[in-house]
Amino acid sequence: MKVLWICLTVPCLTLCQLFGVGALSAFNSSFELIGNNNSTLISEGKDINHVIYNTLTTCPYAYGEEGIYEITVPGLEPFPVLCNAQIAGAGYIVVASRTNAETNFYRNWKAFKLGFGDMSGDFFLGLDKLHAITKSQTYELYFQLEDFEGSTRFARYDEFYIENENESYKMTKLGTYTGDAGDSLTEKSKFGEFSTFDRDNHGECAKERLGAWWHTRCTYSNLFGMYYEGAHNSSLGWTGMSWEAWHGNNYSFKAMKIMIRAKNLCPC
């Protein structure tokens, strides 16, 4: 005889404390998302069916759990996020994705504040959501870059936080870098305010680079810049979708993703 167990009260953090992150990851690995943008999770055991009703606050930390999930964080109504468990491990929220020139990233302040694009293709989640998520708990930051020669590299920072709109979404926390793409963020983006062409908080950087970004004295990265195809004329300079530490400033990448993941690994 199978028993139906409904769990309404046990917080995820308590499960982490009781059983450890590894046990929680294994516990999560059997979850299936049901419904569209529905945070109700079902787990089937060998002899017992577990039905867990819980509110997700970040992506499930379980391999194979990918797709669009609805999360809830303080300060905002529930909203959908794209979860990726393939590129760098489980639990990542995709903040931005670019794969072609069809989606225009040269947009104004309001567009970056609210987000734009389509999660099935190219998009940016939005600065208001990014602030609320990174304020809710400690997050790490991950970049994946792909060039037109078919190579991929990454840059990971073990802590990431941006302020609210009153502080121009300033990047006040950027942790230690690891990866093989090189560090093109720390020197000129940490402590930088976000800038767009209509609200440039650091001179004319967003206009000169044709890209919104966390500029301080302009930057060594410009991943919201123009979509060119690989190496381009030096007269275009830093205006492409560039990461100076890999391929320099006259190269625009084929694809990029920006992702964040909660460091405590608790999905709910």
Side-chain angles (χ1 to χ4, degrees):
M1 178 179 178
K2 292 186 176 181
V3 178
L4 185 66
W5 171 34
I6 300 178
C7 173
L8 295 173
T9 59
V10 179
C12 176
L13 184 58
T14 302
L15 290 173
C16 281
Q17 292 168 337
L18 289 175
F19 303 112
V21 169
L24 183 63
S25 297
F27 182 72
N28 289 331
S29 66
S30 61
F31 282 172
E32 293 180 31
L33 183 73
I34 60 173
N36 293 324
N37 293 332
N38 192 327
S39 60
T40 302
L41 299 175
I42 286 184
S43 172
E44 288 196 1
K46 193 171 184 180
D47 298 312
I48 299 175
N49 284 350
H50 302 283
V51 180
I52 311 295
Y53 294 92
N54 224 322
T55 300
L56 292 176
T57 59
T58 190
C59 286
Y61 193 79
Y63 291 97
E65 297 299 334
E66 297 187 287
I68 297 175
Y69 288 73
E70 185 176 84
I71 68 170
T72 301
V73 294
L76 293 178
E77 293 295 318
F79 57 90
V81 294
L82 177 62
C83 297
N84 186 292
Q86 292 183 330
I87 292 175
Y92 277 100
I93 298 172
V94 182
V95 172
S97 179
R98 300 188 72 182
T99 58
N100 55 58
E102 293 181 6
T103 301
N104 175 29
F105 271 70
Y106 193 56
R107 301 191 182 220
N108 62 20
W109 182 266
K110 184 178 180 180
F112 276 95
K113 167 187 168 68
L114 300 177
F116 55 85
D118 188 335
M119 288 184 185
S120 65
D122 292 0
F123 73 97
F124 176 64
L125 183 62
L127 293 165
D128 275 350
K129 294 182 180 71
L130 188 56
H131 161 69
I133 293 169
T134 57
K135 184 180 180 181
S136 67
Q137 55 182 306
T138 303
Y139 274 79
E140 63 181 45
L141 175 66
Y142 189 98
F143 296 89
Q144 186 196 53
L145 308 173
E146 180 183 353
D147 65 17
F148 280 88
E149 290 67 50
S151 298
T152 59
R153 294 191 183 184
F154 76 96
R156 178 189 279 117
Y157 299 85
D158 66 5
E159 191 170 6
F160 174 64
Y161 174 69
I162 65 167
E163 302 289 346
N164 62 22
E165 186 177 18
N166 292 335
E167 299 292 329
S168 298
Y169 304 110
K170 187 175 184 179
M171 186 188 300
T172 52
K173 291 182 181 179
L174 183 66
T176 302
Y177 159 83
T178 55
D180 56 7
D183 181 5
S184 290
L185 200 65
T186 301
E187 185 174 342
K188 290 190 176 182
S189 290
K190 186 178 182 180
F191 305 123
E193 298 171 328
F194 198 82
S195 289
T196 58
F197 66 80
D198 63 330
R199 185 167 168 175
D200 206 324
N201 292 302
H202 291 280
E204 298 289 313
C205 287
K207 292 180 182 178
E208 291 176 3
R209 300 290 170 85
L210 300 181
W213 199 244
W214 289 275
H215 292 291
T216 62
R217 297 172 291 125
C218 299
T219 59
Y220 292 135
S221 51
N222 193 38
L223 295 180
F224 295 151
M226 296 292 104
Y227 191 96
Y228 307 129
E229 294 188 2
H232 50 77
N233 191 294
S234 60
S235 64
L236 298 175
W238 294 82
T239 60
M241 193 171 78
S242 60
W243 187 268
E244 193 274 340
W246 188 33
H247 287 307
N249 62 348
N250 293 322
Y251 191 95
S252 185
F253 290 100
K254 179 181 179 180
M256 75 86 177
K257 277 188 171 54
I258 303 174
M259 307 191 300
I260 59 174
R261 180 169 68 177
K263 293 192 71 175
N264 67 12
L265 309 183
C266 283
C268 53

